[in-house]
Amino acid sequence: MSALDTSVRAKRSLAARVASGAAGGVLRVFLLLVALFWLVPAFGLLVSSFREPTDIAASGWWKVFTAPSQLTAKSYRSLLENGDVTHALFNTVWITVPATLLVVVIGAMAGYAFAWMDFKGRDWWFMVVVALLVVPVQVALIPLSDLFGKVGIFGDIIGVVLFHVGFGLPFAIFLLRNFFAEIPRELLEAARLDGAGEARLFATVVLPLGAPAIASLGIFQFLWVWNDMLVALVFSDSSSQPLTVALQQQVRQFGSNIEILAPGAFISMVIPLAVFFAFQRQFVSGVMAGAVK
């Protein structure tokens, strides 16, 4: 009887494995189709960036499959010769990189302090940080515009960076504090017994263990700042505007400068995609670690 049960279980397990494999194959095909469908607009923008303005106005981007001679690099040469757009691209880098690094560094230090350092009113201050998460960006536009004008940084890159840092820190502190709080206390106490101070403990123990969460935060902050237009539209001027604002200004002349818009929009989109795919392993590890914890 037991042998019969074993045989039945073996047959069922084999059938279950076959069914599971088939279902997994169908799921993978479905996800692949969804990914390809999601990339169609990006591919269409890429193809359009290599077409002449007259060809773009005459037909859709898929026309290149029957007329590949339409592909040309003239649009990218026109983009590089456009000083406003190239300057805006560098401004975007000067805004995004400091705003991302400052949020990650300050958020990591504050998250460690809220998680493992005892100071007066720690829980109340953390509640203030959590409360700041619900403050919308639009509420602070006018007050900070007035403040930056009095300080003398309105219209400068530093003003845009400070705004992004101020609104990025509450989420960064909340995320990293909760992640750091899950580190085993015994591990930190062992490091202290070995003579590690707070700075060394933070640099050699906490940061390596929190690398997945820090990488996820860095990706989120980078994408948010790079793709932002509202804050830059309010706090920047013609000399400090990022690429999103520069392209928005170019849209006003859409009929005469499509050869600038197409490659500029593709560059504005492909750089965040490249950053995401370059750090996707760390991003997934951070998300999964947070889910497990």
Side-chain angles (χ1 to χ4, degrees), residues 1 13 42 54 71 82 87 111 119 121 144 154 170 177-178 194 200 208 217 221 244 280-281:
M1 186 67 178
S13 61
T54 54
L71 297 177
N82 189 300
H87 183 66
F119 54 90
L144 287 182
F154 184 83
R177 182 266 179 190
N178 291 338
D194 290 338
R200 183 181 176 186
L217 172 64
Q221 180 69 10
T244 52
Q280 63 175 332
R281 187 183 300 275

Side-chain angles (χ1 to χ4, degrees), residues 115-200:
W116 292 108
M117 296 179 67
D118 293 326
F119 54 90
K120 187 176 181 180
R122 183 184 67 174
D123 295 335
W124 287 104
W125 282 113
F126 185 69
M127 290 179 63
V128 172
V129 172
V130 174
L132 290 175
L133 289 172
V134 303
V135 178
V137 173
Q138 293 81 357
V139 172
L141 292 178
I142 295 177
L144 287 182
S145 297
D146 182 64
L147 176 62
F148 288 175
K150 292 178 180 179
V151 176
I153 59 175
F154 184 83
D156 293 339
I157 289 179
I158 184 63
V160 184
V161 172
L162 288 178
F163 190 97
H164 283 301
V165 171
F167 272 85
L169 278 177
F171 175 74
I173 296 173
F174 174 77
L175 175 68
L176 295 181
R177 182 266 179 190
N178 291 338
F179 192 92
F180 293 160
E182 297 295 332
I183 297 176
R185 181 180 295 272
E186 294 78 9
L187 184 63
L188 301 181
E189 292 177 349
R192 289 193 177 97
L193 290 176
D194 290 338
E198 295 295 342
R200 183 181 176 186

Side-chain angles (χ1 to χ4, degrees), residues 10-25:
K11 291 181 180 179
R12 288 179 179 176
S13 61
L14 178 60
R17 287 197 298 270
V18 173
S20 176

Side-chain angles (χ1 to χ4, degrees), residues 189-277:
E189 292 177 349
R192 289 193 177 97
L193 290 176
D194 290 338
E198 295 295 342
R200 183 181 176 186
L201 185 65
F202 174 72
T204 60
V205 178
V206 175
L207 285 184
L209 293 176
I214 293 173
S216 300
L217 172 64
I219 292 174
F220 275 123
Q221 180 69 10
F222 182 91
L223 295 179
W224 179 49
V225 177
W226 182 276
N227 293 319
D228 169 75
M229 188 178 72
L230 175 61
V231 175
L233 194 61
V234 174
F235 291 96
S236 65
D237 56 18
S238 58
S239 63
S240 60
Q241 64 184 13
L243 187 59
T244 52
V245 178
L247 292 177
Q248 186 268 343
Q249 299 294 333
Q250 294 288 329
V251 172
R252 298 179 179 179
Q253 307 170 4
F254 181 78
S256 60
N257 64 352
I258 186 64
E259 72 278 5
I260 301 297
L261 284 174
F266 180 76
I267 291 176
S268 178
M269 179 183 63
V270 74
I271 292 178
L273 284 176
V275 171
F276 176 79
F277 286 119

